[in-house]
Amino acid sequence: MCGIVGYIGKANAASVLIGGLRRLEYRGYDSAGLALLDGDVLHVSRAVGKVANLNESARADWDAELFQRAGTGIAHTRWATHGPPTEANAHPHLDESGHIALVHNGIIENYRSLRARLEKKGHHFHSETDTEVLAHLIGDCDKGDLLQAVRDALHQVEGTYGIAVVSSHEPGRIITARRGSPIVIGVGHGESIIASDATAILAHTQRVIYLDDDDIAVVTANAVDIRDLDNLPVTREIAELGLDAAAAEKGGYAHFMLKEIHEQPDSLANAIRGRLDLQIGSSVLAGMSTSPRELADISRVIMVGCGTSLHAAMVGEYAFGDLADIHAEARQAAEFRYRNPILGNRDLVVAISQSGETADTLAAVREARQKGAFVMSLVNVVGSTIARETGRGVYLHAGPEISVASTKAFTCQVSVLLMMALKLGRGRRFSRDEGLKLAREIEAIPELVRRVIAQDDSIAEIAARYLENEHAFFIGRGPMYPVALEGALKLKEISYIHAEGYHAAELKHGPIALLQEGTPVIVVACEGPAKDKTLGNVEECRARGARILGIITESDHEAEQVMDDFIAIPAAHPLVATIPATVALQLFSYHVARLRGCEIDQPRNLAKSVTVE
Ligand code: F6R
């Protein structure tokens, strides 16, 4: 979604800001803008579309010397919410006097009433955005002290914000604040960089400060002074990012998505490394930090997430049920808190999120904590809001996921859920030998995935046969049902083919009416208790002329025979097999989208981190 970058220091601010925005492009956006402070003069440039357009228009608007000279500025990529993606709606927005500029992520919920009040006072608005109202409000509160003005304005605001503000009257500082929308400050030598996402900071420094909700920071080139909304000083530790800048580069791949698919043997190895105990046949997940007695006390596992993370939760539902004999539920995070969930201290609520910033998942975490459940997170982005609010959890260690379509985060989520289920299962019913057997299967996951990725070229050839249809169905049973849902999500989001995932048995309860000669049905029919029934469902589809692509187990000649095309994955425990099966579907979707000429890493209308409900 929207991205913020701010810079103050000795370097050329315009290049740092444009470079930072480029690194945030993956989040999804439709316009961009930049404000530079040149001494006490404020210059603003905005453009619809890509950061490259902004770079061009800023260079056209401003003389080259200004571009080189200015050492302070703020910049933004906007993902339209209030008003379409136009130049007028792009950030930064200015106050009435034109000396204050603001960039903002989040939503000011009471912007209509604030705008009406300000209009009565003579303010003129030039956009349809909620953000412009906040810029005017800060200007209205400004009596010569920008920090005080921001604080006074934020007291009147309802909703969420991550902001960066500059004033041409106070050129030596940037004010930044957050509530519900992340802000991280990079602490360099003689320079500070503000961003909504650490990827924009990586190239400059590894030392960062994460703001908490209701923090306001005054950022200068050499200092960061953080206060709360009542102006009391607060201390926030400097943390080390521990991320390699190269990890956020394409590294020779045509797309981030392809790179991230190919990285999976390594990301999975990182997610699993040191977390299996082959002596006792269990897993060691420091972030679960529970005693065997506490573990034995858990009566239910409830997993919350959205989109791909919800699909991982659904695989987890099978894993906890089948491996740990524990009642488990995957719940759509956006619904969770509105259903007034009945929770207690024997319920383990696991928030699953790649970004750790998804607003719905965060709201579910807060609800679960409020109700006294034992809450933990399974998050990829270190230091993200969900990771910090839950306090305990297991990081995925998947590395930066830049492509909007989630790939490596999903497979790492599932592998960590399997290890959690193993741990709970070993504490309840598994013998050491049973635990050991599963631990060895989990340990082999990176190699299973490597063997699927080795088929990249042949999967591309298969994909070439599925480009023409505008509809496709994905089906599966048992733990392969969420894999089918995930396959359909991947295909629709990057190729724009209308794809639906169904439980294989559900097709005949309605959707089968849509099957015609040649309609693609992608079936996940790997070895396992549900395979024969799934193959029965395949026959129903074949009888109606569907073209069948099967994800099947290697050397399963029976399954091969009923498929028009198939991708074979190595034999594995049915829960473990969800991971290589998903990788096969990721590659299939990727190649379909590539061959259809789609913009794979930033599909239309999508954002990487969904920070609005
Ligand atoms: C799809 C995708 C989304 C995310 C969802 C939740 O490829 O990436 O469906 O899974 O927006 O995001 P996180 O995992 O960051 O909470």
Side-chain angles (χ1 to χ4, degrees):
M1 288 202 138
C2 306
I4 288 176
V5 192
Y7 179 81
I8 185 160
K10 54 196 178 202
N12 162 343
S15 319
V16 176
L17 294 171
I18 299 257
L21 290 185
R22 286 210 163 106
R23 287 182 181 273
L24 297 186
E25 284 192 299
Y26 78 96
R27 298 172 62 94
Y29 69 104
D30 30 47
S31 60
L34 173 69
L36 287 184
L37 269 180
D38 179 31
D40 59 0
V41 182
L42 186 61
H43 302 269
V44 177
S45 186
R46 306 184 191 94
V48 173
K50 296 290 171 198
V51 172
N53 302 353
L54 172 68
N55 193 26
E56 263 175 40
S57 69
R59 284 178 191 277
D61 291 350
W62 301 332
D63 68 63
E65 274 191 25
L66 163 66
F67 224 85
Q68 292 301 321
R69 200 169 54 225
T72 304
I74 53 176
H76 192 259
T77 46
R78 172 174 187 259
W79 187 79
T81 56
H82 296 64
T86 59
E87 209 175 298
N89 286 333
H91 305 200
H93 288 288
L94 302 180
D95 76 324
E96 183 69 19
S97 73
H99 76 266
I100 292 172
L102 163 81
V103 292
H104 165 228
N105 289 356
I107 291 180
I108 306 300
E109 285 165 6
N110 59 338
Y111 81 102
R112 281 200 186 83
S113 58
L114 291 170
R115 181 168 171 153
R117 203 178 79 205
L118 289 162
E119 274 171 342
K120 269 195 197 139
K121 289 177 87 174
H123 288 250
H124 302 86
F125 290 88
H126 309 282
S127 79
E128 295 153 77
T129 66
D130 51 333
T131 302
E132 192 186 9
V133 175
L134 180 55
H136 278 250
L137 187 62
I138 293 170
D140 195 59
C141 295
D142 188 16
K143 308 284 177 284
D145 176 354
L146 183 62
L147 174 62
Q148 181 67 43
V150 171
R151 189 182 310 120
D152 290 347
L154 294 182
H155 273 297
Q156 300 176 52
V157 152
E158 285 161 23
T160 54
Y161 54 78
I163 55 168
V165 193
V166 289
S167 163
S168 57
H169 293 172
E170 298 178 41
R173 55 190 194 158
I174 303 175
I175 312 288
T176 181
R178 75 158 273 173
R179 182 188 289 159
S181 195
I183 291 287
V184 53
I185 303 168
V187 183
H189 297 288
E191 61 180 2
S192 303
I193 306 154
I194 296 160
S196 49
D197 176 330
T199 19
I201 292 177
L202 268 183
H204 302 275
T205 179
Q206 290 279 315
R207 300 174 73 229
V208 295
I209 298 171
Y210 296 99
L211 291 194
D212 274 357
D213 276 354
D214 295 334
D215 286 353
I216 306 186
V218 179
V219 181
T220 63
N222 296 304
V224 178
D225 177 23
I226 308 175
R227 315 239 148 193
D228 66 13
L229 278 179
D230 296 321
N231 204 26
L232 296 171
V234 289
T235 310
R236 304 277 172 239
E237 300 295 319
I238 295 185
E240 283 289 320
L241 276 178
L243 288 175
D244 178 2
E249 305 288 344
K250 272 193 214 152
Y253 285 91
H255 298 98
F256 278 111
M257 182 177 180
L258 185 63
K259 176 184 176 235
E260 287 157 11
I261 293 173
H262 277 247
E263 274 172 354
Q264 287 175 109
D266 290 337
S267 56
L268 284 158
N270 291 338
I272 295 167
R273 185 174 301 115
R275 288 173 166 170
L276 289 172
D277 185 333
L278 298 175
Q279 295 301 316
I280 57 165
S282 186
S283 66
V284 196
L285 296 165
M288 273 180 88
S289 64
T290 32
S291 66
R293 173 166 285 283
E294 279 177 312
L295 279 187
D297 255 5
I298 292 171
S299 64
R300 257 193 330 169
V301 180
I302 296 171
M303 289 154 287
V304 291
C306 300
T308 289
S309 295
L310 176 62
H311 296 153
M314 291 171 75
V315 178
E317 193 175 298
Y318 287 92
F320 285 108
D322 293 358
L323 304 176
D325 275 347
I326 193 163
H327 177 84
E329 291 170 28
R331 303 273 283 268
Q332 211 284 329
E335 275 292 292
F336 188 70
R337 73 167 160 163
Y338 298 108
R339 298 283 304 271
N340 192 16
I342 300 162
L343 296 170
N345 59 7
R346 294 184 61 209
D347 292 321
L348 170 64
V349 174
V350 186
I352 304 179
S353 173
Q354 187 286 131
S355 62
E357 302 294 347
T358 302
D360 289 321
T361 311
L362 181 58
V365 162
R366 291 179 177 157
E367 179 68 18
R369 285 179 49 161
Q370 183 67 29
K371 292 246 163 88
F374 179 90
V375 184
M376 61 173 283
S377 61
L378 217 157
V379 157
N380 191 35
V381 177
V382 176
S384 56
T385 309
I386 292 174
R388 287 183 301 130
E389 284 212 12
T390 47
R392 67 174 108 200
V394 182
Y395 279 122
L396 301 177
H397 300 315
E401 192 181 70
I402 306 293
S403 167
V404 163
S406 187
T407 53
K408 60 180 180 171
F410 175 86
T411 50
C412 288
Q413 286 165 347
V414 173
S415 66
V416 174
L417 286 166
L418 291 179
M419 288 188 284
M420 287 173 65
L422 169 62
K423 187 176 166 95
L424 283 171
R426 184 72 177 95
R428 285 160 188 259
R429 73 166 170 97
F430 270 4
S431 67
R432 177 183 175 276
D433 281 355
E434 287 166 324
L436 202 55
K437 197 159 169 258
L438 185 63
R440 291 229 159 90
E441 290 248 11
I442 294 172
E443 197 182 25
I445 290 173
E447 180 52 28
L448 303 181
V449 167
R450 196 167 284 119
R451 284 167 61 186
V452 176
I453 290 172
Q455 303 176 53
D456 194 358
D457 291 345
S458 57
I459 295 175
E461 279 170 28
I462 293 172
R465 294 172 215 144
Y466 291 82
L467 307 181
E468 305 307 332
N469 295 75
E470 290 309 315
H471 304 277
F473 294 90
F474 286 70
I475 58 171
R477 282 172 177 257
M480 294 307 183
Y481 164 48
V483 170
L485 296 181
E486 175 58 11
L489 176 58
K490 270 321 65 110
L491 186 67
K492 78 181 102 180
E493 67 181 328
I494 60 168
S495 75
Y496 310 140
I497 291 174
H498 170 228
E500 294 299 337
Y502 285 102
H503 189 282
E506 270 297 311
L507 219 54
K508 59 181 165 300
H509 295 289
I512 203 165
L514 294 167
L515 295 190
Q516 294 176 358
E517 200 58 39
T519 306
V521 174
I522 294 96
V523 55
V524 195
C526 303
E527 287 295 356
K531 188 193 95 177
D532 290 343
K533 288 237 163 9
T534 309
L535 292 186
N537 300 129
V538 168
E539 295 294 359
E540 293 158 10
C541 298
R542 276 162 60 90
R544 276 130 192 116
R547 180 180 183 101
I548 315 287
L549 164 60
I551 311 299
I552 60 173
T553 307
E554 268 170 13
S555 309
D556 182 349
H557 304 303
E558 183 202 6
E560 282 173 16
Q561 275 167 16
V562 294
M563 309 296 171
D564 292 291
D565 301 290
F566 65 86
I567 304 169
I569 67 163
H573 184 288
L575 280 160
V576 169
T578 56
I579 293 177
T582 304
V583 175
L585 293 176
Q586 293 168 351
L587 281 170
F588 171 74
S589 299
Y590 170 79
H591 288 298
V592 170
R594 177 181 61 80
L595 293 167
R596 282 168 64 101
C598 300
E599 196 173 346
I600 292 178
D601 285 332
Q602 289 155 37
R604 69 180 176 223
N605 303 337
L606 290 181
K608 182 64 182 164
S609 153
V610 184
T611 49
V612 293
E613 284 189 40

